[in-house]
């Protein structure tokens, strides 16, 4: 369940947003001033903030700037001013989108739902195994304790994807050849498998000489020796 912080001082608007979002299945926390909103922000890992600009104890833009120093949480501004300058100021402060008052709750809900649907799709394209997170679309991998993305050649990725799709299953050299390389009509031999296995190990194994992920099963083939979880 996605969590949203609503920072809006007008009681009827605050209650209307909270009710509508809760009815959609979101977990909503509401605040009516910057101090209250900041305390909630520090206490909870919100996935979205809906923030008014004119608040009783300060400017919502200052709150957004403060949030941006700590988080990349998605932020939608609520503003009663319909001028390009105010929109630009919101984006410069760190907001991702805005809604101009008076606004339709259905329009706000549409923006919220579109964002979370996009986020869910992105998450579904991530696959975790052991200490690694694999981005299917980007053909990259990242170790949990690192910010560095590891890239792969076309053949390396095709082989890696075959293993990730079949974790804990022994794949023979012929299965790998037929399932990956022959699809392109390329002439390859068994040595091609060994070469790409070695390259993959050099990129993902902490000790390629003693692999934990791509294990050799003598006389049978290779196995991805970790569970895989889609996120």
């Amino acid at each position: 369940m996605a969590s949203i912080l609503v920072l809006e001082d007008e009681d009827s608007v605050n209650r209307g947003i909270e009710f509508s979002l809760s009815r959609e299945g979101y977990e909503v926390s509401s605040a009516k001033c910057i101090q209250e909103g900041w305390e909630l922000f520090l206490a909870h890992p919100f996935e979205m903030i809906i923030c008014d600009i004119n608040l009783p104890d300060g400017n919502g833009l200052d709150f957004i700037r403060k949030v941006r120093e700590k988080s990349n949480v998605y932020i939608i501004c609520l503003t009663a001013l319909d001028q390009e300058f105010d929109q630009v100021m919101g984006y410069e402060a760190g907001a991702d989108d805005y809604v101009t008052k008076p606004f339709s709750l259905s329009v706000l809900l549409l923006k919220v739902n579109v964002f979370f649907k996009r986020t869910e799709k992105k998450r579904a394209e991530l696959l975790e195994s052991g200490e690694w997170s694999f981005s299917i679309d980007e053909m990259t991998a990242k170790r949990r304790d690192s910010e560095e993305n590891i890239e792969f050649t076309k053949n390396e990725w095709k082989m890696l994807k075959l293993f990730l799709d079949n974790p804990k299953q022994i794949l023979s050299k012929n299965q790998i050849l037929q399932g990956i390389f022959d699809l392109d009509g390329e002439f390859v031999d068994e040595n091609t498998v060994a070469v790409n296995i070695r390259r993959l190990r050099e990129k993902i194994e902490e000790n390629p000489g003693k692999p934990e992920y791509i294990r050799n099963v003598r006389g049978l083939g290779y196995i991805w020796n970790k569970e895989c979880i889609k996120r």
Side-chain angles (χ1 to χ4, degrees), residues 38-56:
W38 184 248
E39 291 174 357
L40 285 170
F41 168 73
L42 292 178
H44 302 281
F46 293 107
E47 296 170 79
M48 175 182 286
I49 295 176
I50 298 173
C51 179
D52 191 16
I53 297 302
N54 298 311
L55 294 163

Side-chain angles (χ1 to χ4, degrees), residues 5-44:
L5 170 62
V6 176
L7 179 51
E8 164 62 60
D9 67 313
E10 190 174 340
D11 189 61
S12 61
V13 177
N14 190 308
R15 284 188 286 108
I17 295 174
E18 182 176 3
F19 175 78
S20 299
L21 292 174
S22 297
R23 189 173 57 183
E24 288 286 309
Y26 298 108
E27 181 181 334
V28 184
S29 299
S30 64
K32 296 181 180 179
C33 66
I34 289 177
Q35 180 62 34
E36 186 181 1
W38 184 248
E39 291 174 357
L40 285 170
F41 168 73
L42 292 178
H44 302 281

Side-chain angles (χ1 to χ4, degrees), residues 110-197:
L110 178 63
K111 287 178 176 287
V112 172
N113 288 335
V114 166
F115 167 74
F116 283 112
K117 285 181 180 178
R118 189 186 309 127
T119 302
E120 288 174 3
K121 181 179 179 182
K122 184 177 180 180
R123 286 175 177 168
E125 294 164 350
L126 291 177
L127 193 150
E128 293 183 356
S129 185
E131 295 296 316
W132 288 93
S133 176
F134 299 93
S135 175
I136 305 304
D137 278 354
E138 297 177 0
M139 294 172 54
T140 60
K142 182 184 295 184
R143 188 180 285 275
R144 187 174 301 168
D145 58 358
S146 174
E147 292 299 319
E148 180 184 2
N149 278 326
I150 305 298
E151 298 182 350
F152 303 89
T153 65
K154 179 182 176 182
N155 283 344
E156 288 171 357
W157 180 257
K158 288 165 70 177
M159 178 181 286
L160 177 60
K161 184 66 165 51
L162 183 63
F163 280 122
L164 296 176
D165 288 340
N166 299 278
K168 296 286 188 175
Q169 297 182 39
I170 298 174
L171 300 177
S172 69
K173 291 182 178 180
N174 284 336
Q175 283 178 307
I176 296 173
L177 287 171
Q178 293 171 5
I180 301 178
F181 300 105
D182 285 355
L183 292 177
D184 293 332
E186 300 172 355
F187 175 78
V188 292
D189 56 29
E190 290 190 1
N191 188 54
T192 303
V193 174
V195 169
N196 282 275
I197 290 288

